[in-house]
Amino acid sequence: MAEQTLADIGEFGLIAELTKRFPQGEQVVVGPGDDAALLRIRNGHVVVSTDLLVEGRHFRRDWASAADVGHRAAAQNLSDINAMGGRAHSLTVGFAAPPDLPARWALEFADGFAEECALVGASVVGGDVTRSAQIVVSVTVLGSVTQAPVLRSGARPGDVLALAGRQGWAAAGLAVLGRGFRSPRAVVAAYQRPEPPYAAGPAAAAAGATAMVDVSDGLLAEAGHLASASGVAIDVTSGSLEVPEPFRAVAAALNADPLSFALSGGDDHALLATFPSASALPEGWREIGSVSDGDGVTVDGKPYDGPTGWTHF
Amino acid sequence: MAEQTLADIGEFGLIAELTKRFPQGEQVVVGPGDDAALLRIRNGHVVVSTDLLVEGRHFRRDWASAADVGHRAAAQNLSDINAMGGRAHSLTVGFAAPPDLPARWALEFADGFAEECALVGASVVGGDVTRSAQIVVSVTVLGSVTQAPVLRSGARPGDVLALAGRQGWAAAGLAVLGRGFRSPRAVVAAYQRPEPPYAAGPAAAAAGATAMVDVSDGLLAEAGHLASASGVAIDVTSGSLEVPEPFRAVAAALNADPLSFALSGGDDHALLATFPSASALPEGWREIGSVSDGDGVTVDGKPYDGPTGWTHF
């Protein structure tokens, strides 16, 4: 029997199957199925962010399972709330796909998405499905902050630059997949299913972080965003970055600098933040550089001449 | 000189140009440019909905200007909040497009989008842009309700069925464009730029509407959604529907039933609601049918054998 496609199960069949996979949190007064969802909001504020994932651009079906892509789609959005020092509670998902896509792919994507959301207790409260030539997933995430959000613009000269979470693993994995390899398995798995440090964002906010950003465009690129938004210079100490054994193996095979994965990679969704130098860094954070008067980003005091990150067009 | 494309101006150039076009409302504490936006929320609730527009599926660049598509993308989302009896205040926009798209198209789209949002005082607070093979626009809208939202499930036997807004005009326009014609101009213009009855949603909620839905999938299809969600039967009185002169002209040219545009069309984003029979209908609403015990939708007491609406796969 031929595998069922989206065209076979139809819009309403797909929505019914998807809805089963998304348990509703206590903030949900009206969930999926009406013209809009109704959410109870605490603290008088909501933090909101949107991200797109496009097949062939942000993922490939032969490089990651549907569940992996679901995890990644959720993770990169949850991470944006994390980077404000907040906690995500609700998401909407737009899912555009070719009618001949196996229905199983869409449902396994949803399972992965729901599993990632469950890590932070967030729920999918609505969405839309439609036909397109290429899979495009659009996610909007809503969250709350219990104190002032940590913006990109608050870094001050004298602050310490710090990092939370794995950094460079996913980039090394992507480099491997791009050459047609499947190992080292540890970096490929890191690319397929990122593990953003969800506890580190609120912990940084509570510890007085002055600025914070989610590393999605590459460590140096995001340091550049902090530097320009804050009007400061940032220096990254390369010796403070972890360059684990798999990076060396990949770099040797691809004739690359093992440090480049840590400096230019973004797909791990680590967090980069600045803290007043006198404050103790919260759990999960490690110092990787410093903030001073000036502008721009340097590595060990010098301009970096390798690739610094990702551009979208 | 060749026209500038998205690839020419780049991601950050595009975002900078887009951001200029989106004034920020008083609810916005942190607007575009950080990992997430921060919004002030009144009443302890938020209403949220997401819709996708795909080029070739929901719009064609040769059938509507970029500004028109911007108006439509905003309108269909604002309309979802309208259908809950709420008012939209904030939107995020995901914009995926080919790198060779003229930058002017994206900016005129944004102008149209912003103009439509201004009609209800809502603002674009964030978004994402990326590359794709086909233009895909994803919009998430947030709004507020000042009383309980009007759901699809509240219609009761004995209620009156009522409609607000133009109905069938856009469908007639789409039928004309689909045959390669450009007139009658009135229906083509209605397709290109819908005029949802934004005041009618909150007015219906205030007047005690028992159920409400945005007519995006066709009048009979949406009546079916109300009937099944509420566990009632709905009858539409065909003589109560407006069949203006342009519908007759289009129907004659295309050998169609002029009533079919009103019964099956969705792109006007009219509102369909039910009211207790004793209540006076608020301004902008007209009675078009009745609610009774049973299930399903009929027209003049009989099953309708024409097309009832739109399917997404």
Side-chain angles (χ1 to χ4, degrees), chain B residues 49 53 61 82 91 128 131 133 149 153 176-177 181 269 304:
Chain B
S49 180
L53 273 92
R61 273 188 271 167
N82 200 23
L91 301 96
D128 190 20
R131 179 191 291 212
S153 52
V176 161
L177 288 165
F181 300 118
H269 295 291
Y304 181 68

Side-chain angles (χ1 to χ4, degrees), chain A residues 2-85:
Chain A
E3 182 163 20
Q4 276 206 319
T5 65
L6 293 187
D8 292 330
I9 69 169
E11 179 197 5
F12 294 111
L14 177 61
I15 290 174
E17 284 298 323
L18 291 174
T19 304
K20 283 184 208 165
R21 286 166 163 79
F22 296 134
Q24 299 299 301
E26 60 82 32
Q27 81 282 12
V28 183
V29 184
V30 177
D34 219 295
D35 292 279
L38 177 69
L39 309 178
R40 205 175 284 118
I41 298 294
R42 294 194 183 138
N43 302 328
H45 288 84
V46 70
V47 189
V48 59
S49 179
T50 289
D51 264 328
L52 297 168
L53 272 91
V54 178
E55 182 178 12
R57 181 88 181 141
H58 300 105
F59 67 90
R60 282 176 50 160
R61 272 188 270 166
D62 54 340
W63 285 0
S65 73
D68 289 338
V69 178
H71 274 275
R72 169 169 294 285
Q76 78 175 43
N77 280 276
L78 298 173
S79 181
D80 282 322
I81 303 302
N82 200 24
M84 302 292 276

Side-chain angles (χ1 to χ4, degrees), chain A residues 15 46 64-65 108 113 118 127 140 157 169 198 212-213 254 257 270 274 289 297:
Chain A
I15 290 174
V46 70
S65 73
E108 289 177 5
F113 196 96
T140 298
W169 289 73
Y198 293 123
M212 185 153 54
V213 69
L254 307 184
D257 176 0
T274 56
V297 176

Side-chain angles (χ1 to χ4, degrees), chain B residues 68-86:
Chain B
D68 288 339
V69 178
H71 274 275
R72 169 170 293 285
Q76 74 174 45
N77 280 276
L78 298 173
S79 181
D80 282 322
I81 303 302
N82 200 23
M84 302 292 278

Side-chain angles (χ1 to χ4, degrees), chain A residues 118-140:
Chain A
L119 293 177
V120 300
S123 43
V124 176
V125 302
D128 190 19
V129 299
T130 192
R131 180 190 293 213
S132 64
Q134 174 183 34
I135 301 174
V136 178
V137 180
S138 167
V139 181
T140 298

Side-chain angles (χ1 to χ4, degrees), chain B residues 123-189:
Chain B
S123 43
V124 176
V125 302
D128 190 20
V129 298
T130 193
R131 179 191 291 212
S132 62
Q134 176 183 31
I135 302 175
V136 177
V137 180
S138 167
V139 181
T140 298
V141 58
L142 282 68
S144 61
V145 286
T146 51
Q147 55 221 316
V150 185
L151 306 183
R152 298 179 175 195
S153 52
R156 297 289 168 259
D159 282 355
V160 158
L161 182 72
L163 183 73
R166 291 195 301 205
Q167 171 56 24
W169 290 73
L174 184 58
V176 161
L177 288 165
R179 299 297 183 96
F181 300 118
R182 292 275 170 173
S183 68
R185 183 67 202 138
V187 295
V188 170

Side-chain angles (χ1 to χ4, degrees), chain B residues 96-113:
Chain B
D100 63 356
L101 183 75
R104 192 164 49 84
W105 198 95
L107 301 183
E108 289 177 7
F109 167 88
D111 287 333
F113 196 96

